[in-house]
Amino acid sequence: MKRGTFQLMKSVNKSLILNTIRTSEPISRAQIAKKTELTPPTVSSIVKELLEEELVVESDLGESQGGRKPTMLLINHDAFYVIGVDVSPDSIKCIAGSLSGKVIVRAEPKEISKRISSEQFLDELIDTIRSVLDTLSTPDKVMGIGVAMHGVVDVENGLSLVAPNLGLTDIPIKDVLEKEFDTIVKVENDVRAMALGESWFSTNGHIGSMLTVNMGSGVGAGLVIDGKLYHGAADLAGEVGHMTIDLHGEVCTCGNRGCFQTFATCDAIIKRAKAALIEADEKAGMAKGEAEHLVHDQIGYQNLTIEDIYHMATAGNEILANVLQETGEVIGIALTNLIHVINPEKIVLGGEVCKMSAFILPVIKDTIVQRGLTADAKQTKVDLIKLGHDATLKGALALLLVEIFE
Ligand SMILES: [Zn+2]
């Protein structure tokens, strides 16, 4: 579908009806009129347009209320595609999804080399998207492309302002992709896209306020208020990884000391775990040089992974259990700070660090109970992200879906 057709759908009543069908399907014309408070003739005429555009289909699932069975309406989820792209610091992933977010086609992830120019990066991006479009039987049914990009993004202009791990700035993603593919393109910070996706797919966009915090190679957050992402005055909202937790803590990549990120990324946890294990060995009387090379439970400390830490802690390693306990407390403190600033209805946690949720989630919740200012603050819901592995890609799809349906 070309941009012209897409724009047609932006009439307020049409979006309202489309979204009512999406959230309540199967639904009859009479029920739509009742829910939206639009007149039956208005509903009929807009539904007729939606049927002609094949965005909506009829079925006969309706329950009779005494007369003949009403015709029910459904979203024609599989008739169109949206393209979702996840650009992480080291790879480009791309899927084509249905209007319900089902993955139809998935590209082979493409690795990005660290020494890449903006032009080379954009070529790689185009190639990856092209590889997905080429496998679709009806590429003309693509309604747009959503790009979830790591780093700082100028959302209005679809510009990657700073992609720190690639060392690139001011990449004109939206301009280049719109010219290349002649379709609507949305670009958003990856964690914010993930937050939008979680709100869209797990609550139908029906939650007052939800904060999604991602803890992986970095720490970021996205805030969705009434179904809309909050960006702040200069697209900086959600940089919670650089909230100061410890005045005298370690130096962060941003140059400040003791940022949340110096505690809650995978690397930070691994670093503290190694230090704690080596310290314990030293206390046990080993010479310093030897301790660093010690193989503990057949795992060399040098190659310690998040999975190792989890397995060793589960198997009863108290030193590592303590490191995870402390990690949970720090995350709990950071989230309590955020609760006091934002007061979200719900907090959702994502990222690799959540692989250790069995240890850290109960501690996080306890810490919030201890530190929250009011009973409501203490009871703020904290859950793991429901979208799982594809959370960022689904978020990229959601960037378009909110445009189509709302
Ligand atoms: Zn920092």
Side-chain angles (χ1 to χ4, degrees), residues 248-402:
H248 308 291
E250 280 187 32
V251 178
C252 176
T253 50
C254 72
N256 295 324
R257 269 189 191 279
C259 291
F260 182 30
Q261 197 155 293
T262 63
F263 293 91
T265 62
C266 290
D267 283 350
I269 295 168
I270 291 169
K271 194 173 170 190
R272 284 189 298 117
K274 279 183 190 169
L277 289 169
I278 289 169
E279 192 190 319
D281 289 341
E282 282 171 8
K283 270 192 192 151
M286 301 192 62
K288 191 173 178 180
E290 282 172 37
E292 286 183 16
H293 299 294
L294 186 95
V295 175
H296 184 94
D297 288 354
Q298 296 176 323
I299 294 163
Y301 293 164
Q302 292 311 318
N303 301 319
L304 201 67
T305 64
I306 280 290
E307 286 81 5
D308 297 333
I309 295 172
Y310 176 76
H311 292 309
M312 287 163 74
T314 309
N317 185 311
E318 278 184 26
I319 298 156
L320 293 179
N322 285 338
V323 169
L324 296 184
Q325 165 83 22
E326 189 189 70
T327 304
E329 281 172 28
V330 172
I331 297 171
I333 288 170
L335 295 187
T336 309
N337 288 343
L338 295 170
I339 289 168
H340 292 157
V341 177
I342 297 164
N343 188 204
E345 201 174 316
K346 185 176 179 182
I347 296 177
V348 176
L349 304 179
E352 294 279 293
V353 169
C354 292
K355 283 182 178 165
M356 295 176 301
S357 61
F359 282 91
I360 59 176
L361 194 55
V363 185
I364 292 171
K365 289 180 177 174
D366 283 350
T367 308
I368 293 172
V369 168
Q370 282 163 24
R371 291 174 174 260
L373 267 186
T374 62
D376 285 334
K378 291 176 193 293
Q379 281 158 22
T380 306
K381 278 184 242 159
V382 182
D383 251 330
L384 299 179
I385 199 161
K386 291 200 174 66
L387 290 182
H389 286 318
D390 278 338
T392 311
L393 280 167
K394 295 278 178 85
L397 298 181
L399 295 173
L400 260 298
L401 295 173
V402 296

Side-chain angles (χ1 to χ4, degrees), residues 144-161:
I145 301 168
V147 180
M149 177 77 195
H150 72 278
V152 185
V153 172
D154 169 349
V155 174
E156 202 178 313
N157 298 306
L159 201 64
S160 164
L161 290 177

Side-chain angles (χ1 to χ4, degrees), residues 15-25 27 35-36 195-211 224-229 344-346 348 381 386 398 402 405-406:
S15 293
L16 180 62
I17 289 177
L18 196 58
N19 206 32
T20 305
I21 300 173
R22 180 185 76 88
T23 53
S24 310
E25 63 181 355
I27 186 169
K35 273 196 178 232
T36 58
L196 184 69
E198 181 70 10
S199 151
W200 183 258
F201 291 112
S202 77
T203 76
N204 255 338
H206 287 167
I207 186 158
S209 53
M210 188 170 98
L211 180 72
V224 176
I225 301 173
D226 293 328
K228 300 264 184 297
L229 274 172
E345 201 174 316
K346 185 176 179 182
V348 176
K381 278 184 242 159
K386 291 200 174 66
V402 296
F405 289 101
E406 292 199 328

